Structures are given as structure tokens and as C-alpha cells.
Amino acid sequence: MIKSMTGFGRAEQLFEAYKISVEIKSVNNRYLDINTKVYKQYSFLEEVVRECVSAGLSRGKVDVFVQIEPVGEEEIAVTLNDGVVKGYRDALSRLVEVADVPDDIAASSFLRLPDVFKIEKQENDKDEIASDARIVTNQAIADLIENRSREGERLKSFFDQCIVSVKTILETIKDRSPLTVDEHKQKMKERIEELLGGIEVDEARLLTEIGIFADKVNITEEIVRFESHLKEYSHLLESDIAVGRKLDFITQELNREANTMGSKCNDYIISKSVVELKSEIEKLREQVQNIE
């Protein structure tokens, strides 16, 4: 079943130290365009996300939002900044010497001095975060694909209805096409007889002119090719693989054949039908841009 390129997917999972949430939005695009948004400290996840999206999707402009929230109290590491403390101690010792004051420096004296301690959050293992993020991202992609498939079913229904309309219009053209030559022959014969004032028409010459006309307005080849393209179109709509580009190409071919039929015909009914045919093809063209 065909899939739309427009959709939304979301997944979240709670792990021991954090919760990971992934949201994916996609719209139609000629190629696969991936844009990831993660907090700066987790920028290493961008490549993981791209790998997951590239494996699951083939087309579309895809925006991925990854959020990681700590669970419970964050672990804080407090360490002594040895170099800074030693610098303070040397400076204070020099002060005692130069100012000739009592050496009453105690450990508590250092608590008020800046940068004595380094306070850092305990970082989780990057490989573990990347592994967990891959799991959640794939879940979100699965949700997106399911959403795209539902939209694809709706589009499939639209395409089926449109193809039925196209076939109906094409049948009108097929039925009408052979009659145009006979009608032209009769009109030409009547016109010549009128101009000749009752003199008998040279049938051989008339048939020659009719043959030239029939060759000019013959659209049998265009109809056969059109039906072949339409058959392939219906076949692709049942496919489970990405067929958006192929459908787009075939839609262009359908339009090309319709244009040729319109330029060759010399009949009001066929011309009118070709206009209706091109209108239906334009509907296909607009919607096929959304197919993956």
C-alpha cells in the first residue's frame, strides 16, 4: 500500500537515569531531507537519529526532536581544584610574610574563595544513551510510518476514483475517434458537391484526401500508450515499496499523451473530453507529490 510523505510520529521511554522522548514530523519533499534538534550536550545523537531515519524512510522533509530528561535527583560530583587551592595557599603564605600578620589560615577559610571546588553533573555513558535513543527513535519512526500508511489509504481511495473518471473519459474519446473520419468524409463530400454545382465527385481523389485527414487525426497510438501508462499506474498504487517518483513520471507521460490527442483531434467532442482528461490528470499530479 502506498504511503504519504506527510505524517507525525512520537515515542517515549523511561530508563533508569532518564526519560527519552522523540517526535518526528514529515512533509513532502523530492528527496530525503533530515533535520535533527537535540540539546547541545547530546549533539552526538544526531548521527544516530539520521541513521535510523534513513533506514526507515526514503523521501520527505523530516524534522526530528529528541528530548532527554533526568529521572530523580541528579548526581553531582564535587571535587577539589588542587591547582587553585595551592595558588591560594601560596598567596596567603606570602601575605603573612609580607604583612607580618599571624598565620591563622584554616581550611574553612578557603570555603569563601571562588573556584576552590569543581561542581559537575555526573554524565551518563554516551554509548548507553545512544543505544537507548536508537530504540526510542525507531519506535517513533514506526509510529510515523503507521500514520503515513493511514494517509496513504486515503490517497489511494482518491487515486482510484480519479482513475475511474479518467477511464470513463478515455472511453468517450475511443468511441468518438473513428466517427470523426466518417463525419469529415461526409462533410467534405457535401461541400465539394455544393461547390461543383451537382457535378459528380471524383471518389478516388476524395478518398485520398480523407486518407490524409485520417492519418493526421489518428490518435490510436496515443490511446494505446495512455492505457498502458494507466495500467502501470494502477499496478504501482498497490505496491508496498516507495513509488512516488515513478508515479510522478507516469503522470507526466499521461499528460503528454493527452496533449498529443488534443493537438491531433479536429473534433469538438474529443477536444472537450481531452480538456476533462487533463483536468483529472492535474488532480493526480497534485496528489502524487505527497506519495513517498
Side-chain angles (χ1 to χ4, degrees):
M1 181 64 69
I2 60 172
K3 299 182 182 67
S4 169
M5 281 190 282
T6 302
F8 175 81
R10 189 179 190 282
E12 69 176 30
Q13 189 167 332
L14 183 63
F15 297 93
E16 184 177 350
Y18 45 77
K19 181 177 74 172
I20 299 179
S21 303
V22 178
E23 291 186 357
I24 304 179
K25 298 178 182 178
S26 69
V27 295
N28 59 310
N29 195 58
R30 189 173 182 181
Y31 305 105
L32 181 61
D33 179 14
I34 305 170
N35 179 40
T36 60
K37 294 185 179 180
V38 297
Y39 291 132
K40 186 176 181 180
Q41 64 265 37
Y42 299 115
S43 58
F44 61 90
L45 293 177
E46 290 185 5
E47 187 60 31
V48 173
V49 170
R50 286 181 174 276
E51 289 177 5
C52 294
V53 174
S54 298
L57 307 175
S58 61
R59 292 179 71 195
K61 186 179 186 302
V62 184
D63 292 319
V64 186
F65 306 87
V66 181
Q67 186 172 9
I68 301 178
E69 302 176 46
V71 174
E73 294 185 1
E74 295 184 278
E75 293 186 22
I76 303 296
V78 180
T79 57
L80 189 66
N81 199 335
D82 294 357
V84 173
V85 172
K86 187 176 183 302
Y88 279 134
R89 178 59 194 173
D90 291 344
L92 290 172
S93 297
R94 179 65 177 158
L95 175 64
V96 169
E97 180 183 342
V98 172
D100 192 23
V101 294
D103 186 354
D104 59 352
I105 303 172
S108 58
S109 304
F110 288 87
L111 294 176
R112 295 188 292 272
L113 300 175
D115 300 324
V116 170
F117 298 101
K118 290 188 291 187
I119 302 175
E120 299 175 320
K121 295 180 181 179
Q122 288 288 84
E123 296 291 341
N124 294 296
D125 182 76
K126 288 186 177 181
D127 290 339
E128 183 180 358
I129 295 175
S131 177
D132 293 339
R134 187 183 299 275
I135 293 172
V136 182
T137 300
N138 285 330
Q139 292 173 350
I141 291 172
D143 188 41
L144 172 68
I145 291 174
E146 184 179 347
N147 187 283
R148 280 180 156 195
S149 297
R150 288 195 297 269
E151 180 65 14
E153 290 179 9
R154 187 191 67 79
L155 288 173
K156 173 65 165 51
S157 177
F158 168 83
F159 284 126
D160 288 341
Q161 294 175 8
C162 208
I163 288 174
V164 169
S165 299
V166 167
K167 288 181 177 179
T168 301
I169 297 169
L170 190 63
E171 285 301 316
T172 300
I173 295 174
K174 288 171 64 176
D175 293 341
R176 179 63 185 170
S177 182
L179 301 178
T180 58
V181 176
D182 293 334
E183 291 182 1
H184 181 74
K185 177 181 178 181
Q186 184 61 34
K187 289 179 181 179
M188 180 177 286
K189 186 175 181 180
E190 292 174 358
R191 191 176 305 167
I192 292 174
E193 288 176 348
E194 182 181 347
L195 292 172
L196 295 178
I199 299 175
E200 187 175 349
V201 178
D202 183 349
E203 286 292 332
R205 181 61 185 276
L206 179 61
L207 289 175
T208 300
E209 294 296 329
I210 295 301
I212 295 172
F213 174 79
D215 185 60
K216 287 182 178 180
V217 300
N218 186 359
I219 56 175
T220 302
E221 291 185 9
E222 286 75 14
I223 291 174
V224 170
R225 286 196 295 266
F226 192 98
E227 289 180 319
S228 176
H229 292 323
L230 205 59
K231 183 177 179 181
E232 177 65 12
Y233 207 99
S234 298
H235 173 71
L236 289 174
L237 288 174
E238 301 295 336
S239 178
D240 290 327
I241 61 175
V243 294
R245 288 192 182 94
K246 290 183 179 180
L247 288 173
D248 188 27
F249 174 77
I250 295 176
T251 304
Q252 294 178 42
E253 293 301 305
L254 290 172
N255 193 60
R256 192 194 313 277
E257 299 299 341
N259 282 331
T260 305
M261 283 187 265
S263 64
K264 291 177 72 173
C265 74
N266 190 26
D267 179 79
Y268 171 74
I269 295 177
I270 293 180
S271 296
K272 182 173 178 293
S273 297
V274 167
V275 171
E276 295 174 355
L277 192 64
K278 291 177 66 175
S279 176
E280 293 298 319
I281 294 172
E282 179 62 20
K283 293 178 185 178
L284 290 174
R285 189 197 65 78
E286 289 177 354
Q287 293 301 322
V288 82
Q289 306 302 319
N290 294 319
I291 299 299
E292 181 180 10

